[in-house]
Amino acid sequence: MFVLVLMEDCLAKKMEITVSEAEKRTGRNAMNMQETYTAYLIETRAVESQNEGQCSPVDSLWRRYSEFELLRNYLLVTFPHIVVPPLPEKRADFVWHKLSADNMDPDFVERRRIGLENFLLRVASHPVLCQDKIFYSFLTQEGGWKEMVNETGFQLKADSRLKALNATFRVKNPDKRFTELKHYSDELQSVISHLLRVRARVADRLYGVYKVHGNYGRVFSEWSAIEKEMGDGLQSAGHHMDVYAASIDDILEEEEHYADQLKEYLFYAEALRAVCRKHELMQYDLEMAAQDLTSKKQQCEELATGTVRTFSLKGMTSKLFGQETPEQREAKIKVLEEQIQEGEEQLKSKNLEGRDFVKSAWADIERFKEQKNHDLKEALISYAVMQISMCKKGIQVWTNAKECFSKM
């Protein structure tokens, strides 16, 4: 019931959000060097006034891809327990040979525009992310937005890659659920990558097969020129072959839409791993805190009893230079007791923080799984329907050609 209430309050229910246009621009970067980039026009309109029969004004502003990246990095750091929606690719990948990999290519820019709009709608529909003030400002405040993000200090909270790698290899008691999720995300990325490669190879072959049908059109047209009774039929059949050959461009353009839907979940796999890495870091910090606390308790016990249970530099020093005075020992015990009390409080806090993280993260992971199952099912069904439609059009072309031949 709580999630339903949040969904009713999400920004996507209150505001229409579109990335309506892309524009090629030239400017100077941070190094004062001239560069060419693409800016995207974000348009927003309040939904409530439309429901009341009023025409709400459209607010608009321009954003670069790098600003979308800044927004997502901020969300990743600020909401580490959330599977943050991915951005569309910066440069084309898994393309078939006739498709341009240039990030300034108009078709690629258009697909990226659609992907950026999808990203904004994903965030605006998320029960937690949609309530973030920085995200709302990204949609509504063009000037000063970068400064506002940087003032949050989110970069200082970002975990270093080295620290994350260290935690991965040194954590002693990883949560089995997150370990399995990490493995699943790797497998998901692998199978979708293979699927996209297969699709690119099929697109290459299909393009060639369709274009070769254009040769039928040319041959039938040439043949019609030397035939009197058969000429019209051959000419018409050739026309159908030409139409068939030309249709592959639109077909493969439509296919790219489904490929982009798969790519979104290819990139979602990394978002899942980011949540797992954060949990590993928290678990590693917890284990280090527990280890430090145990060590301090042992030191305190050794000082109190005067016995050293394990080899230590301190023990060797005592043997070489004599025992500490009772006053020195009492002072050290007092310091250690204060550190132990502080360590116990920190350990309790880290345990609580860890339990809260697991609870929140797993709730969002379940939400993501439901979304993934629905989206991929719809995408695969739609792709199959498109393939069936394409085959039916091919059958129709040959049916038309057969009728042309029958009239000769």
Side-chain angles (χ1 to χ4, degrees):
M1 187 65 186
F2 178 63
V3 174
L4 287 174
V5 172
L6 284 175
M7 287 305 292
E8 284 300 317
D9 291 338
C10 74
L11 192 60
K13 299 283 186 181
K14 301 175 181 178
M15 179 186 285
E16 284 183 2
I17 303 168
T18 58
V19 179
S20 58
E21 193 178 324
E23 183 178 279
K24 189 176 179 180
R25 294 183 178 181
T26 303
R28 294 196 173 275
N29 59 21
M31 303 293 291
N32 202 32
M33 296 175 66
Q34 191 163 322
E35 64 173 348
T36 301
Y37 62 91
T38 305
Y40 297 90
L41 182 64
I42 300 172
E43 293 186 332
T44 56
R45 186 201 300 265
V47 173
E48 291 174 358
S49 57
Q50 291 184 54
N51 293 338
E52 294 167 4
Q54 300 175 359
C55 185
S56 176
V58 174
D59 293 318
S60 62
L61 50 78
W62 293 89
R63 295 283 185 208
R64 294 182 60 171
Y65 184 87
S66 58
E67 291 177 288
F68 280 88
E69 286 183 310
L70 180 60
L71 170 64
R72 186 170 187 273
N73 289 336
Y74 159 80
L75 293 174
L76 280 170
V77 174
T78 309
F79 303 97
H81 59 284
I82 298 295
V83 184
V84 178
L87 291 169
E89 58 194 346
K90 195 164 188 175
R91 286 175 177 78
D93 201 2
F94 301 105
V95 296
W96 53 286
H97 80 280
K98 289 290 181 181
L99 200 66
S100 174
D102 179 11
N103 66 337
M104 287 295 175
D105 177 74
D107 290 335
F108 173 72
V109 170
E110 172 60 15
R111 292 200 310 279
R112 191 204 273 175
R113 179 196 67 76
I114 295 169
L116 291 173
E117 179 177 294
N118 184 61
F119 165 74
L120 293 180
L121 292 174
R122 291 278 196 207
V123 177
S125 301
H126 193 282
V128 176
L129 300 180
C130 73
Q131 300 179 54
D132 184 73
K133 291 179 180 178
I134 294 293
F135 172 60
Y136 184 78
S137 297
F138 179 86
L139 299 173
T140 58
Q141 183 178 324
E142 190 161 12
W145 179 79
K146 281 186 182 179
E147 292 74 14
M148 186 186 298
V149 181
N150 292 327
E151 283 171 7
T152 64
F154 81 93
Q155 294 98 332
L156 300 174
K157 302 173 190 173
D159 300 310
S160 72
R161 289 183 181 273
L162 186 61
K163 187 179 178 184
L165 188 64
N166 187 44
T168 299
F169 287 107
R170 296 185 65 182
V171 68
K172 295 177 181 177
N173 298 300
D175 188 310
K176 186 180 178 182
R177 290 175 300 173
F178 285 93
T179 303
E180 290 175 351
L181 182 66
K182 196 175 181 182
H183 178 69
Y184 168 76
S185 66
D186 291 339
E187 292 295 318
L188 179 65
Q189 188 173 44
S190 177
V191 294
I192 292 180
S193 295
H194 288 321
L195 189 59
L196 287 166
R197 288 192 188 96
V198 169
R199 182 259 156 188
R201 289 199 298 270
V202 170
D204 273 329
R205 302 279 180 87
L206 204 59
Y207 184 84
V209 168
Y210 267 70
K211 289 303 181 183
V212 166
H213 278 71
N215 293 337
Y216 278 130
R218 179 176 55 79
V219 171
F220 286 149
S221 182
E222 291 173 356
W223 191 1
S224 69
I226 62 171
E227 299 286 353
K228 291 183 179 179
E229 292 82 4
M230 297 168 57
D232 289 344
L234 290 168
Q235 185 72 37
S236 297
H239 169 72
H240 287 302
M241 292 298 142
D242 289 337
V243 170
Y244 183 67
S247 67
I248 189 61
D249 296 296
D250 290 337
I251 290 169
L252 293 181
E253 188 177 329
E254 186 181 351
E255 268 200 11
E256 284 304 315
H257 169 69
Y258 298 112
D260 288 339
Q261 288 180 320
L262 288 174
K263 284 179 184 179
E264 182 186 17
Y265 280 92
L266 179 73
F267 305 140
Y268 254 126
E270 175 55 31
L272 279 174
R273 282 197 293 271
V275 176
C276 295
R277 283 196 300 269
K278 183 62 181 178
H279 180 263
E280 283 176 340
L281 271 170
M282 294 179 74
Q283 180 64 23
Y284 179 66
D285 286 344
L286 178 67
E287 290 176 3
M288 289 298 99
Q291 186 176 313
D292 185 57
L293 182 62
T294 301
S295 175
K296 282 184 168 55
K297 284 182 176 179
Q298 184 178 322
Q299 288 176 45
C300 192
E301 184 185 339
E302 289 171 355
L303 282 168
T305 59
T307 58
V308 179
R309 289 187 296 175
T310 57
F311 173 81
S312 68
L313 184 62
K314 188 196 297 184
M316 288 297 296
T317 305
S318 297
K319 287 181 179 180
L320 289 170
F321 301 106
Q323 294 290 330
E324 298 168 317
T325 64
E327 290 80 11
Q328 289 175 324
R329 196 160 54 246
E330 284 299 321
K332 285 187 176 182
I333 289 172
K334 187 177 180 181
V335 170
L336 279 169
E337 285 175 343
E338 288 175 358
Q339 290 177 347
I340 288 168
Q341 185 178 353
E342 185 181 327
E344 285 176 338
E345 289 174 0
Q346 286 182 354
L347 191 63
K348 184 179 178 182
S349 176
K350 286 181 183 293
N351 265 311
L352 186 62
E353 185 183 358
R355 283 196 294 270
D356 287 345
F357 179 89
V358 170
K359 183 179 178 182
S360 300
W362 216 251
D364 197 63
I365 288 163
E366 291 300 325
R367 177 205 60 79
F368 165 76
K369 286 179 180 178
E370 189 175 334
Q371 169 196 301
K372 171 189 65 75
N373 293 344
H374 173 270
D375 289 350
L376 291 180
K377 177 183 175 182
E378 289 296 312
L380 292 171
I381 289 173
S382 297
Y383 183 70
V385 169
M386 192 206 80
Q387 296 295 326
I388 292 167
S389 174
M390 179 178 70
C391 293
K392 284 181 177 178
K393 287 176 182 176
I395 292 170
Q396 188 59 50
V397 164
W398 282 103
T399 301
N400 292 341
K402 177 189 171 185
E403 290 176 359
C404 293
F405 297 148
S406 299
K407 292 176 182 176
M408 291 192 305

